[in-house]
Amino acid sequence: MAGFQGGKKKPLKAPKKNVAEEDETDLEFKRKKQEEQRQLKELQKKAQGKGPLTSGGIKKSGKK
């Protein structure tokens, strides 16, 4: 008997892309995203110190 020949053959692995290849637009985009994340965290910290905006409880109508 010959060796196992049938079935699907595995595709060759594609070479990994070099991560160091980033142009100025990519770097600018990353800086912008980091700045937005930092500002969002600062706003979350500010909002965390305050209580809820609603007065709380079930709103009641004027009728009895």
Side-chain angles (χ1 to χ4, degrees):
M1 273 201 172
F4 177 43
Q5 297 281 326
K8 208 175 194 183
K9 293 192 177 190
K10 291 184 180 178
L12 295 175
K13 289 186 178 179
K16 292 184 180 180
K17 291 183 179 180
N18 193 357
V19 180
E21 294 178 16
E22 297 178 342
D23 57 354
E24 291 180 25
T25 56
D26 289 337
L27 295 174
E28 185 179 330
F29 179 73
K30 284 184 179 182
R31 279 190 227 119
K32 188 176 179 183
K33 280 292 189 182
Q34 286 176 346
E35 182 70 23
E36 288 176 2
Q37 287 291 333
R38 190 167 50 81
Q39 287 177 354
L40 183 64
K41 285 183 181 182
E42 288 175 11
L43 289 175
Q44 285 176 344
K45 285 182 183 179
K46 276 186 180 179
Q48 201 172 32
K50 297 178 183 177
L53 297 176
T54 59
S55 60
I58 300 172
K59 289 189 175 184
K60 297 180 181 177
S61 64
K63 298 178 183 177
K64 287 191 177 181

